[in-house]
């Protein structure tokens, strides 16, 4: 199969995140269970159940409020676009994504996730986290090789075991032309083998 893209035969190195992420998740779960057992031993099982239920309710309220605010911002942006105004750019951390993440962390059972969720509800912490995440994303995007989504899709198909790419052209046998010719509807010579 010839696609014009050289295939590398060098073994790919796993990133650190992919290596240590399962270990970090397992450590987080063990720590959450240990903290819940400590609180259950000190305050009783009813207190742990009340803490978990309160976290679920508070997380649901936070997510609901952030969703309403996101919908309101979207509506305002559409109204400004219809009036011909340029929408104001948002500050990093000023959006609703981190607020929804805070609500999700509050809904997860565990005390450590509740603490992190409550910290993300504090506006200065949320703004700092948003700046750090956007800076990290910009650095990764700047370091990424050139190419668009189509190139990534093509590469994924090439590396997938049965992702055969067959070049060709479609010829309609009924002889009808498309209803609305596009910019590329002109004559094209057949593809050479």
């Amino acid at each position: 199969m010839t696609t014009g893209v050289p295939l590398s035969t060098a073994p790919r190195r796993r990133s650190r995140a992919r290596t240590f992420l399962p270990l970090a998740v397992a450590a987080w779960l063990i720590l959450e269970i240990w903290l819940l057992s400590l609180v259950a031993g000190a305050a009783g099982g009813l207190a742990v159940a009340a803490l978990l239920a309160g976290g679920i309710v508070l997380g649901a309220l936070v997510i609901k409020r952030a969703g309403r605010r996101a919908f309101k911002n979207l509506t305002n942006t559409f109204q400004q676009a219809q009036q011909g105004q340029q929408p104001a750019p948002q500050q990093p951390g000023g959006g609703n994504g981190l607020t929804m993440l805070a609500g999700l962390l509050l809904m997860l059972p565990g005390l450590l996730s509740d603490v992190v969720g409550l910290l993300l509800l504090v506006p200065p912490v949320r703004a700092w986290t948003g700046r750090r995440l956007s800076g990290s994303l910009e650095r990764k995007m700047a370091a990424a090789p050139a190419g668009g989504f189509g190139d990534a899709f093509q590469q994924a198909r090439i590396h997938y075991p049965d992702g055969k790419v067959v070049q060709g052209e479609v010829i309609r046998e009924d002889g009808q032309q498309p209803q609305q010719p596009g910019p590329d509807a002109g004559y094209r010579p057949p593809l050479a083998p």
Side-chain angles (χ1 to χ4, degrees):
M1 163 173 49
T2 305
T3 60
V5 179
L7 298 176
S8 175
T9 58
R12 292 182 59 185
R13 197 175 137 236
R14 262 181 103 158
S15 69
R16 280 187 171 204
R18 285 187 61 190
T19 303
F20 292 114
L21 187 63
L23 183 61
V25 169
W28 180 283
L29 290 174
I30 291 171
L31 186 60
E32 290 280 19
I33 292 170
W34 180 69
L35 285 173
L36 283 174
S37 66
L38 282 179
V39 171
L46 193 58
V48 170
L51 278 172
L52 295 177
I56 291 173
V57 170
L58 181 62
L61 290 174
V62 167
I63 289 176
K64 183 177 179 181
R65 182 172 176 245
R68 283 185 180 166
R69 192 170 51 227
F71 187 73
K72 180 182 163 196
N73 290 343
L74 181 67
T75 305
N76 289 340
T77 302
F78 279 137
Q79 288 174 351
Q80 289 175 354
Q82 286 178 346
Q83 296 171 356
Q85 299 173 352
Q86 184 73 8
Q90 271 196 324
Q91 299 293 332
N96 296 306
L98 288 176
T99 306
M100 287 188 180
L101 177 64
L104 180 66
L105 286 172
L106 285 170
M107 290 179 78
L108 289 176
L111 299 177
L112 209 55
S113 61
D114 288 349
V115 169
V116 173
L118 288 173
L119 282 175
L120 281 177
L121 289 178
V122 178
V125 174
R126 190 172 55 237
W128 178 81
T129 305
R131 284 191 305 270
R132 296 279 299 197
L133 288 176
S134 67
S136 173
L137 182 63
E138 286 175 8
R139 281 192 303 276
K140 288 198 183 282
M141 293 298 287
F149 178 75
D151 293 338
F153 182 70
Q154 183 74 10
Q155 287 296 319
R157 287 188 61 195
I158 289 171
H159 294 295
Y160 191 75
D162 291 324
K164 296 182 176 97
V165 178
V166 178
Q167 292 188 358
E169 84 181 37
V170 175
I171 299 174
R172 294 181 63 143
E173 292 190 15
D174 57 4
Q176 293 180 354
Q177 294 294 325
Q179 298 294 341
Q180 294 178 342
D184 60 345
Y187 172 74
R188 290 186 180 175
L191 295 173

